[in-house]
Amino acid sequence: MPTGATPGSGRARVSDVAAAAGVSPTTVSHALSGARAVNAETRERILAVARELGYVPDRVASGLRRRRTGVVGLIGDDLAATPFAGRIIEGARRAGLERDVLLMVAESGGEAEAERDLVARFLAQRVDGLLIARMYHQRVDRPAVPDDVPVVLVDAAPEPGWEVDAVVPDEAQIATLACERLMREGHREVAYIGTVDESRAARGRLIGVRSALGDAGIALGDGRLEFCSSDAAGGREAGGRLLDQPAPPTAVICFNDQIAMGVMQAATRRGIPVPAGLSIVGIDDLHPVADALDPGLTTIALPHDGMGRWGMTRLLDRIDGTAPPLGDGLHLVRGWLVERASVAAPPTRPPR
């Protein structure tokens, strides 16, 4: 046991770890920070001694030396009420921990003035960079951030004229997955229910549906396209309009899982079984909805965890000066199919 520090006797210092490991304080600093290569065996010995002594790095002193705080701020617009927020935060948090960076999280409530205040507060805390996250894919104005403070947008795109790193879902690919799932079962009478909200997500998913169905020779005419509010009530209304047609669709793709829930309710009210009489695919993989429905909802998961991880990784690379030059466009993250029980082969119908 080294002189100067014993477990529980007080805060151990670098010199204590160095004395116990039989190396210089400089070697200890290099081994703990990873700033320079240290022999693997020596590094393991230093780490073991540091753990034994309960050594905790002085982040403040280290930050002053490196002009870094080891802290990154994340500002979300609606974290408390959005089921997906935790996935974004968790992805960013884990990526930060891997590089010994702490994530601080704050919410603006979707208010521009509150976001400006949070940006100022984070800058006053001298964070190394900022993640600005949105809870659905949309455009973001440039905040009042000095040029030397890196910013990355998560689930958001910059307004024209602002060059910034940004990561968003690949909306067209996500919609294509939904179409492909139905076409594998042989569906040709496919409808799409979009949202009345004018968002990048809404436009991207409609483009993806039109393109995928068009490539398969399936027309998405007026009788197969509806728009509604992004909730179950909207899905019941839009789904009812589709199902009350003389020749209703055999399958419906929905902008999100809440709309899909409403369509399933509309089908049940009309005595149409899901999936034997109507197949339904949602988008989101919102577990409280998709898992609770009977049958369970087949849906396309959005890559929230992946976006959070990419955003943090790119931000830290930008801070370290190892990121590629700005201007390479949005980084798209793919979704994936979550199979449950709301899709089957189309019902056999008499020729029209």
Side-chain angles (χ1 to χ4, degrees), residues 48-191:
V49 170
R51 287 193 295 269
E52 181 183 359
L53 297 181
Y55 173 77
V56 178
D58 187 335
R59 284 184 174 275
V60 174
S62 176
L64 289 173
R65 288 192 298 271
R66 298 183 299 123
R67 297 186 179 180
R68 304 266 181 86
T69 61
V71 178
V72 163
L74 183 151
I75 300 174
D77 59 339
D78 197 13
L79 301 176
T82 306
F84 307 117
R87 301 183 197 175
I88 290 177
I89 294 170
E90 184 64 7
R93 185 189 71 84
R94 288 183 178 276
L97 284 178
E98 291 170 5
R99 293 169 67 169
D100 197 27
V101 169
L102 179 67
L103 178 67
M104 294 178 62
V105 179
E107 177 183 331
S108 69
E111 299 179 4
E113 184 176 349
E115 182 165 289
R116 285 193 294 270
D117 179 64
L118 288 171
V119 167
R121 287 173 179 268
F122 272 133
L123 294 178
Q125 295 296 320
R126 304 186 66 83
V127 296
D128 295 332
L130 285 173
L131 295 169
I132 296 180
R134 291 293 185 261
M135 296 305 106
Y136 69 89
H137 184 177
Q138 57 187 279
R139 284 197 179 277
V140 173
D141 291 318
R142 181 171 187 170
V145 176
D147 291 339
D148 61 346
V149 177
V151 176
V152 173
L153 304 182
V154 180
D155 204 5
E159 288 290 355
W162 180 22
E163 280 197 350
V164 64
D165 295 304
V167 57
V168 296
D170 189 338
E171 305 289 2
Q173 177 264 345
I174 285 164
T176 297
L177 283 181
C179 295
E180 290 174 346
R181 177 65 189 92
L182 293 172
M183 289 187 290
R184 284 200 300 272
E185 294 290 346
H187 287 277
R188 304 287 297 179
E189 299 295 331
V190 179

Side-chain angles (χ1 to χ4, degrees), residues 6-312:
T6 58
S9 67
R11 180 166 182 149
R13 299 165 297 179
V14 168
S15 59
D16 299 324
V17 177
V23 297
S24 70
T26 300
T27 301
V28 171
S29 296
H30 291 166
L32 295 176
S33 68
R36 294 187 184 178
V38 175
N39 176 276
E41 183 179 342
T42 302
R43 183 174 183 273
E44 286 303 317
R45 185 169 74 254
I46 291 170
L47 293 177
V49 170
R51 287 193 295 269
E52 181 183 359
L53 297 181
Y55 173 77
V56 178
D58 187 335
R59 284 184 174 275
V60 174
S62 176
L64 289 173
R65 288 192 298 271
R66 298 183 299 123
R67 297 186 179 180
R68 304 266 181 86
T69 61
V71 178
V72 163
L74 183 151
I75 300 174
D77 59 339
D78 197 13
L79 301 176
T82 306
F84 307 117
R87 301 183 197 175
I88 290 177
I89 294 170
E90 184 64 7
R93 185 189 71 84
R94 288 183 178 276
L97 284 178
E98 291 170 5
R99 293 169 67 169
D100 197 27
V101 169
L102 179 67
L103 178 67
M104 294 178 62
V105 179
E107 177 183 331
S108 69
E111 299 179 4
E113 184 176 349
E115 182 165 289
R116 285 193 294 270
D117 179 64
L118 288 171
V119 167
R121 287 173 179 268
F122 272 133
L123 294 178
Q125 295 296 320
R126 304 186 66 83
V127 296
D128 295 332
L130 285 173
L131 295 169
I132 296 180
R134 291 293 185 261
M135 296 305 106
Y136 69 89
H137 184 177
Q138 57 187 279
R139 284 197 179 277
V140 173
D141 291 318
R142 181 171 187 170
V145 176
D147 291 339
D148 61 346
V149 177
V151 176
V152 173
L153 304 182
V154 180
D155 204 5
E159 288 290 355
W162 180 22
E163 280 197 350
V164 64
D165 295 304
V167 57
V168 296
D170 189 338
E171 305 289 2
Q173 177 264 345
I174 285 164
T176 297
L177 283 181
C179 295
E180 290 174 346
R181 177 65 189 92
L182 293 172
M183 289 187 290
R184 284 200 300 272
E185 294 290 346
H187 287 277
R188 304 287 297 179
E189 299 295 331
V190 179
Y192 175 66
I193 301 179
T195 175
V196 294
D197 301 330
E198 294 185 2
S199 65
R200 289 177 58 88
R203 292 192 295 273
R205 292 176 199 179
L206 179 57
I207 289 171
V209 168
R210 284 191 184 279
S211 176
L213 294 181
D215 288 346
I218 301 173
L220 191 65
D222 292 339
R224 293 290 183 262
L225 182 61
E226 289 283 347
F227 297 93
C228 66
S229 58
S230 301
D231 52 25
R236 286 192 296 272
E237 294 175 5
R241 291 192 293 270
L242 288 171
L243 297 176
D244 288 341
Q245 294 178 9
T250 63
V252 179
I253 300 167
C254 301
F255 172 78
N256 64 19
D257 290 350
Q258 293 98 316
I259 291 176
M261 177 169 63
V263 174
M264 193 175 291
Q265 292 167 345
T268 299
R269 291 178 180 181
R270 288 161 175 79
I272 300 173
V274 176
L278 178 71
S279 290
I280 303 173
V281 178
I283 294 175
D284 278 347
D285 193 28
L286 182 59
H287 289 287
V289 172
D291 282 332
L293 290 173
D294 186 17
L297 180 66
T298 293
T299 185
I300 310 301
L302 297 180
H304 293 96
D305 180 274
M307 289 190 292
R309 172 172 285 277
W310 188 93
M312 175 63 88

